[in-house]
Amino acid sequence: MKRLRKSLYLQVIIAVTLGALLGHFYPNAGQQMKPFGDGFIKLVKMLIAPIVFSTVVTGIAKMGDLKKVGRVGLKGIVYFEILTTIALAIGLFVGKILRPGAGMNVNVATLDTKAIASYTSPSAHLNTVDFVMNVIPKDVADAFAKGDILQVLFFSILFGVALAGMKEAGEPVLRFIDGLSGILFKIVGIVMRVAPVGAFGAMAFTIGKYGIHTLLSLAKLIGTFYTTSILFVFLVLGVVMWWSGLSIFKFLRYIKEEVFIVLGTSSSESALPLMMNKMEKLGCSKSVVGLVVPMGYSFNLDGTSIYLTLATLFIAQATNTQVSTVQELEILAVLLLTSKGAAAVTGGGFITLAATLSAVGNIPVAGLTLLLGVDRFMSEARAITNLIGNGVASVAVSKWEGELDVTHARRVLSGLAAVDGAAANDGHELAADRPAANS
């Protein structure tokens, strides 16, 4: 009982299990639990913008060397492009081999497209200009009010660069923001105490609303996607961790609390503050973590990339639409651009799919309706893969930059080093002993 009281990991597992059981046996009651999940996600999102701001600003200002800021940012973008391209290609390859939509023989004319109208309208389609313009906030207050990570990151980088340029004159401001960062992470520690309640509510609602029968109807697609995501984590991200001198298995055990929170809430953002804190404690440079992790939430969506190519081929196969090799390469090329905007707006994944199908031409956009019922069940795997991918990215870029303390990281992952108290074990004392910046 004492271990249960201290372990966020066990609490979330029990909460997710109870939520799934309630949603299955008492669907109406399960759906009424939705406010618990929504409330927890709102609590976390309330903190994301100020945490990203304080972490990025202090990371850049303490880094001092503005050339280094640009170098870390460029390395991050290069890494993101390579990994998301591999993820897109793997989704395409698995879709071709396993053909999850084959044999469904769906008549497009019978599909009700009203439910996807908001995703397929011309005004909803994303393009490069829209994405770039969306990075620039209407005003600073609006960016923080909306909690748009990319807009907050853009302003934070500008603020950090300006503060670094002020040198001694900016020290009072830097000390204030650094102190504010500690307070924010202390609040995260408080909010995480109700994570099991949020996970319970979100899981109960999902199972209660959509039901297990929905899973069974498109089990092959779901199974294919989950299997592909697992293989991507252990093979592709495993190789990256091996190159960094660490074990992917031990890393997953290290972030198990964050993984289960994301599993329960279907939102990788719900674990963003925890993840940034964990990466610093692991031995990654604070400046790298402050830039790479927030950037990754828009540019390094590995799980989403796998889903996009797999879902595109699934729709083609389910509607008996022939896709040539040239068109498959076209799908890959289009998604290399449009997938970067998947996190820019609500429902971005579906909007990106709609834009891709429209660009290819012969795959019916109406086929998106086939995914509506099961998309929620696949969102957990997307979010978890995205979360793990961004954690690995911070390790890889820190290693690339020569700022990863591999010896310390190995001791932490093996449980041989105390990670500033019990934070790594129970998730509750996140901020009490937050480490000094690695600059």
Side-chain angles (χ1 to χ4, degrees), residues 88-136:
L88 287 168
I90 287 175
L92 194 66
F93 176 77
V94 172
K96 279 193 64 172
I97 299 301
L98 298 184
R99 297 180 57 81
M104 293 186 67
N105 301 317
V106 174
N107 184 351
V108 179
T110 64
L111 296 175
D112 182 5
T113 59
K114 293 179 182 177
I116 61 169
S118 60
Y119 304 117
T120 58
S121 62
S123 61
H125 286 177
L126 296 172
N127 56 52
T128 304
V129 174
D130 292 335
F131 178 71
V132 172
M133 295 303 293
N134 187 67
V135 173
I136 306 172

Side-chain angles (χ1 to χ4, degrees), residues 85-389:
T85 300
I86 292 172
L88 287 168
I90 287 175
L92 194 66
F93 176 77
V94 172
K96 279 193 64 172
I97 299 301
L98 298 184
R99 297 180 57 81
M104 293 186 67
N105 301 317
V106 174
N107 184 351
V108 179
T110 64
L111 296 175
D112 182 5
T113 59
K114 293 179 182 177
I116 61 169
S118 60
Y119 304 117
T120 58
S121 62
S123 61
H125 286 177
L126 296 172
N127 56 52
T128 304
V129 174
D130 292 335
F131 178 71
V132 172
M133 295 303 293
N134 187 67
V135 173
I136 306 172
K138 182 176 65 176
D139 55 65
V140 175
D142 183 63
F144 279 84
K146 292 190 304 183
D148 189 309
I149 294 179
L150 208 52
Q151 292 184 353
V152 172
L153 180 63
F154 176 75
F155 174 73
S156 302
I157 291 173
L158 291 177
F159 194 102
V161 168
L163 187 59
M166 294 179 67
K167 300 188 182 302
E168 291 82 4
E171 280 296 321
V173 177
L174 178 58
R175 284 196 299 270
F176 171 77
I177 297 176
D178 201 20
L180 176 64
S181 178
I183 295 172
L184 290 169
F185 275 94
K186 186 67 175 177
I187 297 173
V188 171
I190 297 171
V191 169
M192 283 303 122
R193 294 179 185 273
V194 298
V197 178
F200 167 80
M203 185 58 69
F205 168 75
T206 299
I207 301 297
K209 182 174 178 62
Y210 299 105
I212 299 297
H213 65 278
T214 309
L215 285 171
L216 298 177
S217 64
L218 290 172
K220 188 174 182 181
L221 172 62
I222 297 170
T224 300
F225 177 59
Y226 270 75
T227 301
T228 307
S229 298
I230 291 170
L231 290 175
F232 178 84
V233 169
F234 286 108
L235 297 180
V236 179
L237 297 183
V239 168
V240 176
M241 289 296 284
W242 171 80
W243 171 79
S244 302
L246 303 175
S247 165
I248 187 65
F249 298 98
K250 292 180 179 179
F251 179 73
L252 293 177
R253 184 177 62 188
Y254 177 63
I255 62 168
K256 59 183 182 293
E257 289 93 351
E258 292 73 22
V259 169
F260 274 93
I261 288 171
V262 171
L263 174 65
T265 60
S266 296
S267 169
S268 57
E269 286 187 351
S270 63
L272 173 60
L274 285 169
M275 201 66 180
M276 295 178 72
N277 193 71
K278 277 280 184 76
M279 291 304 99
E280 286 184 37
K281 292 178 184 296
L282 183 62
C284 296
S285 165
K286 180 177 180 178
S287 56
V288 172
V289 172
L291 281 173
V292 171
V293 176
M295 281 173 59
Y297 270 67
S298 288
F299 295 104
N300 189 40
L301 305 175
D302 298 329
T304 303
S305 297
I306 294 170
Y307 170 78
L308 289 171
T309 45
L310 191 59
T312 301
L313 286 190
F314 167 79
I315 292 172
Q317 293 159 5
T319 56
N320 295 318
T321 304
Q322 296 298 316
V323 180
S324 66
T325 302
V326 173
Q327 288 173 320
E328 289 171 355
L329 294 175
E330 185 181 356
I331 291 170
L332 192 62
V334 171
L335 284 172
L336 279 172
L337 298 174
T338 58
S339 62
K340 301 303 179 292
V345 295
T346 302
F350 260 41
I351 293 174
T352 300
L353 264 179
T356 303
L357 298 179
S358 298
V360 175
N362 66 325
I363 303 177
V365 179
L368 284 174
T369 57
L370 299 173
L371 299 171
L372 285 175
V374 294
D375 182 72
R376 176 77 186 195
F377 290 104
M378 290 189 285
S379 65
E380 285 92 348
R382 285 200 304 267
I384 290 172
T385 307
N386 292 341
L387 174 83
I388 297 169

